[in-house]
Each structure stands twice: as structure tokens, then as C-alpha cells.
């Protein structure tokens, strides 16, 4: 990550957007490599704010970005738990359990793992708010916010875990609509198909719009992967 990020920092500082990486093999497209973070807004901000143009400064700035994403993961998990009426102590415990889990700790060196996963609790929180509100406009506003966060997560670069995040969004949304205390779906009036359909549309909106936002990374990566052993070999 360090050498590639340093090259990107160097090109951006020179006023050039580095679509192409001439330093790896005989040259490869940065746009086709999700781990380049080339379209990831937090990484572009990091690159513009890096305080010195050296490999060391780049690696320190990457580490700071990673730490902020770890904080995002924990804080959003805390508020997701609070939204489900957990106590402050239980919510704090859930945040610590997630950020210090083996899943996260053993991948500390894989920056793109956290830049993708860190958005998941916030996405689920937006989806919960969408399901909870009975107002249709508010539902889709919350769903759109979740879609933007999913798009950011995909641009974060770890496409292998994006599939699991999509499954998590779908399973969470369906289960919460069925067993949660959601207005209009369950309650005194019983099951309401209209509210259920609106909630399912919210789930679809999160996945569809999130994927469209991330298309500048997804489509080139899909095309480039067709030439690799991941697609043709194993």
C-alpha cells in the first residue's frame, strides 16, 4: 500500500490524476485495482493533506486514515446498538468487541479491509431508521444515505467482503422488518404489505445506488480481473 499510495500522492501533487501505474509489471491501470483507493474520497483527502512528499509521510498518513476508520467502526457500532435499545455499557461492549475482534486485528496490515468494513454498522443504522419511520419520503432519504455509505465502502477497495456486506444488509433488513417493532409492518394493525414492500424497496435502493456510486471502481476491476488467475485459474 505504501509504494502505490506514495506514487499516487506524487502524481496528484504534480497536478496529474494517476489513472495508470507504470511501475508495476509493464504497467497496470490504477482504476482497475481496487486497492489503489483511486476513487475513494477519504484517501483523496488524505493525499491532499499529506504534510511532506516522502514515502514515510505517506505511510504515516495511511496509518492515520486507518485509525480514523477504526474509530468510525467502533462509534457507529455503539450507536447501532443504542438504536436497538441496548444500554450504554452494552453498546460500548459491542463496539469494543467489534473493533478488537480477531476479524479486524488479524487484518491490521490490510488497509482496504477496514476502509470497506468500517462503513457497515453505519449502513445498518441508516437502514434501521428507514424501516422504523412510517413516512415514505423519510424512508427513502435514510435509504439513500445508507446507499451513499455503501458506495463509499465499496470504493474502500475490499471487493471480496463487499459481497458479505450486501448479504448482511439484506438479512438485517428482512429480519428486522419481520421481527422488529417496526411501525406499519407489525403492531396493532397486524402485517401490512405496503409497508413491507416499502422496506424491501429501501434494501434494494441501498444495494443498487451504492453499487452505482462505486461503478468507477467496480467496472474497471471487473474487466481487469478477467485477465487474472483469480478468474481463469483457481
Amino acid at each position: 500500500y505504501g509504494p502505490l499510495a506514495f506514487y499516487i500522492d506524487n502524481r496528484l501533487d504534480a497536478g496529474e490524476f494517476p489513472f495508470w501505474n507504470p511501475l508495476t509489471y509493464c504497467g497496470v491501470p490504477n482504476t482497475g485495482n481496487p486497492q489503489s483507493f483511486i476513487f475513494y474520497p477519504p484517501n483523496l483527502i488524505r493525499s491532499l493533506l499529506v504534510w511532506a512528499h516522502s514515502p514515510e509521510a505517506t505511510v504515516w498518513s495511511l496509518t492515520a486514515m486507518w485509525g480514523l476508520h477504526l474509530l468510525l467502526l467502533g462509534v457507529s457500532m455503539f450507536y447501532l446498538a443504542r438504536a436497538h435499545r441496548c444500554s450504554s455499557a452494552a453498546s460500548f461492549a459491542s463496539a469494543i468487541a467489534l473493533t478488537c475482534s480477531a476479524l479486524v486485528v488479524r487484518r491490521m496490515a490490510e488497509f482496504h479491509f477496514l476502509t470497506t468494513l468500517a462503513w457497515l454498522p453505519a449502513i445498518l443504522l441508516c437502514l434501521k431508521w428507514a424501516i422504523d419511520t412510517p413516512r415514505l419520503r423519510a424512508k427513502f432519504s435514510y435509504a439513500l444515505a445508507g446507499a451513499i455509505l455503501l458506495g463509499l465502502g465499496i470504493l474502500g477497495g475490499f471487493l471480496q467482503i463487499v459481497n458479505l456486506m450486501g448479504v448482511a444488509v439484506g438479512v438485517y433488513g428482512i429480519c428486522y422488518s419481520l421481527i422488529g417493532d417496526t411501525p406499519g409492518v407489525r403492531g396493532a394493525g397486524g402485517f401490512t404489505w405496503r409497508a413491507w414492500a416499502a422496506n424491501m424497496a429501501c434494501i434494494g435502493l441501498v444495494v443498487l445506488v451504492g453499487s452505482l456510486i462505486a461503478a468507477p471502481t467496480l467496472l474497471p476491476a471487473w474487466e481487469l480481473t478477467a485477465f487474472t488467475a483469480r478468474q481463469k485459474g483457481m
Side-chain angles (χ1 to χ4, degrees):
Y1 298 98
L4 181 55
F6 174 63
Y7 172 72
I8 291 172
D9 292 351
N10 180 271
R11 292 296 83 210
L12 288 175
D13 182 59
E16 172 192 332
F17 196 83
F19 292 103
W20 183 260
N21 170 17
L23 305 178
T24 302
Y25 302 113
C26 294
V28 293
N30 276 329
T31 51
N33 177 11
Q35 296 177 22
S36 71
F37 310 113
I38 194 67
F39 295 116
Y40 186 52
N43 185 56
L44 294 176
I45 295 171
R46 175 208 61 78
S47 184
L48 294 173
L49 293 178
V50 68
W51 56 89
H53 300 290
S54 68
E56 183 182 18
T58 291
V59 172
W60 275 112
S61 65
L62 280 173
T63 304
M65 185 178 76
W66 189 94
L68 290 173
H69 280 76
L70 188 66
L71 184 64
L72 169 66
L73 180 67
V75 170
S76 57
M77 185 65 236
F78 175 86
Y79 282 107
L80 177 63
R82 288 292 289 161
H84 282 283
R85 297 194 292 271
C86 291
S87 67
S88 295
S91 300
F92 182 74
S94 69
I96 293 297
L98 177 58
T99 56
C100 297
S101 65
L103 176 70
V104 174
V105 171
R106 76 184 185 89
R107 291 182 178 270
M108 287 180 67
E110 297 181 72
F111 286 103
H112 68 315
F113 177 82
L114 195 61
T115 52
T116 298
L117 182 66
W119 300 98
L120 181 57
I123 295 167
L124 298 182
L125 182 58
C126 288
L127 186 56
K128 181 186 185 303
W129 288 338
I131 293 172
D132 281 345
T133 182
R135 294 181 294 123
L136 197 60
R137 179 174 294 183
K139 274 184 182 294
F140 288 104
S141 296
Y142 287 130
L144 182 60
I148 293 172
L149 297 180
L150 178 61
L152 285 172
I154 299 173
L155 292 173
F158 203 114
L159 299 189
Q160 295 96 318
I161 204 172
V162 168
N163 298 323
L164 300 178
M165 289 173 62
V167 171
V169 168
V171 170
Y172 175 87
I174 292 171
C175 291
Y176 184 62
S177 292
L178 287 173
I179 66 177
D181 186 19
T182 56
V185 177
R186 299 180 66 87
F191 188 89
T192 304
W193 281 107
R194 182 178 178 182
W196 168 260
N199 291 342
M200 296 306 102
C202 286
I203 298 173
L205 184 68
V206 169
V207 175
L208 177 61
V209 176
S211 300
L212 290 175
I213 291 172
T217 286
L218 285 175
L219 295 180
W222 188 6
E223 185 174 354
L224 183 63
T225 302
F227 297 99
T228 69
R230 280 184 179 269
Q231 190 75 6
K232 292 185 175 182
M234 297 170 57

